[in-house]
């Protein structure tokens, strides 16, 4: 397998991971808000929420975990594909995004599994409030939470707009992802959260199509090589 063939397979794998992660992320987000429509203002309250439908809580945890496991290689592959066109943007955006996804995965699994275990044991939310509040106020937990939110939001948009500037995708792709990310933070209620799910799935699928499709520059490189050999 030559280097060009390796790059082609790498692009295709990245495209598949991006598309699958986009669909799974959208499904997980929509599933969560449909099953748990009431927003909880404090972490301890999630114990009662999880106890109300523990099976759905477990399913939602697994869906988000799988989405993140797909997003990690997908974002790394996107950064590699972008690096051949915009190396600085790819390095900065890729680093921030991967850090955000790493902390997001750790934070998600830690909190969801912890709260689900408490709910399964019929522990009252009031009984765990001091422990949960202490965790929420811990500087390391706060730092990981901030890295999750800022890294995933900012890093993804840096990569998406970088892909547009590099000619890999159309402008609508980063704009759709921007709309999804912003709406996620400012919206409330199930209908708007479903819109977020759709926007993120469509935007990530747009990135997948842009990375996976055949680039004109690649085709030009293959047609020019034989000419150079005969000159």
């Amino acid at each position: 397998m030559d280097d060009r063939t390796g790059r082609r397979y790498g692009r295709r794998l990245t495209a598949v991971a991006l598309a699958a992660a986009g669909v799974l992320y959208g499904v997980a987000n929509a599933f969560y808000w449909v099953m748990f429509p009431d927003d909880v203002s404090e972490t301890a309250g999630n114990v009662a929420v999880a106890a109300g439908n523990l099976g759905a809580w477990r399913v939602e945890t697994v869906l988000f975990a799988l989405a993140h496991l797909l997003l990690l290689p997908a974002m790394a592959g996107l950064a590699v594909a972008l690096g051949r066109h915009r190396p600085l943007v790819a390095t900065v955006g890729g680093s921030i995004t991967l850090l955000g996804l790493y902390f997001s995965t750790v934070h998600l699994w830690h909190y969801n599994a912890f709260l689900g275990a408490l709910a399964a044991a019929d522990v009252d939310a009031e009984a765990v409030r001091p422990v949960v509040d202490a965790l929420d106020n811990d500087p390391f937990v706060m730092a990981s939470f901030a890295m999750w939110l800022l890294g995933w939001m900012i890093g993804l948009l840096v990569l998406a707009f970088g892909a547009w500037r590099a000619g890999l995708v159309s402008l609508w792709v980063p704009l759709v992802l921007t709309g999804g990310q912003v709406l996620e933070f400012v919206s409330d209620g199930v209908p708007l959260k479903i819109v977020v799910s759709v926007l993120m799935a469509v935007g990530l699928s747009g990135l997948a199509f842009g990375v996976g499709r055949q680039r004109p520059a690649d085709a030009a490189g293959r047609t020019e090589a034989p000419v150079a050999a005969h000159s």
Side-chain angles (χ1 to χ4, degrees):
M1 180 186 295
D2 60 22
D3 185 56
R4 184 176 296 158
T5 303
R7 289 199 301 269
R8 185 168 66 250
Y9 280 112
R11 285 201 312 272
R12 289 176 180 174
L13 289 174
T14 298
V16 170
L18 278 166
V23 171
L24 200 52
Y25 187 88
V27 169
N29 196 62
F31 180 85
Y32 173 81
W33 286 103
V34 169
M35 297 305 298
F36 307 104
D38 297 325
D39 195 13
V40 179
S41 60
E42 53 185 357
T43 306
N46 283 296
V47 176
V49 172
N53 194 337
L54 189 57
W57 185 268
R58 300 295 197 196
V59 170
E60 172 260 333
T61 301
V62 171
L63 286 174
F64 269 117
L66 291 175
H68 281 71
L69 288 176
L70 280 171
L71 281 169
L72 281 164
M75 292 297 113
L78 175 60
V80 171
L82 181 58
R84 291 190 287 271
H85 307 275
R86 296 286 191 277
L88 180 60
V89 173
T91 301
V92 173
S95 300
I96 296 174
T97 308
L98 292 176
L99 266 177
L101 284 171
Y102 169 77
F103 282 109
S104 175
T105 305
V106 172
H107 188 91
L108 166 79
W109 194 257
H110 166 75
Y111 266 83
N112 275 34
F114 175 59
L115 297 172
L118 292 174
D122 293 325
V123 177
D124 186 74
E126 292 300 322
V128 301
R129 191 176 306 280
V131 176
V132 174
D133 288 347
L135 281 172
D136 283 343
N137 294 321
D138 182 82
F140 289 103
V141 176
M142 293 173 65
S144 69
F145 191 71
M147 282 301 304
W148 164 22
L149 295 179
L150 296 177
W152 172 232
M153 180 178 184
I154 297 174
L156 175 62
L157 297 184
V158 168
L159 288 177
F161 278 100
W164 166 60
R165 292 291 296 167
L168 297 176
V169 299
S170 300
L171 180 58
W172 69 264
V173 173
L175 291 180
V176 164
L177 289 171
T178 301
Q181 292 285 50
V182 172
L183 195 60
E184 173 69 30
F185 285 99
V186 302
S187 66
D188 191 17
V190 177
L192 288 178
K193 295 299 184 180
I194 298 299
V195 173
V196 170
S197 302
V198 173
L199 289 176
M200 294 302 294
V202 171
L204 289 169
S205 297
L207 282 176
F209 178 76
V211 171
R213 70 190 174 97
Q214 183 62 55
R215 301 300 304 153
D218 295 337
R222 283 198 298 272
T223 57
E224 289 173 7
V227 175
H230 289 289
S231 59

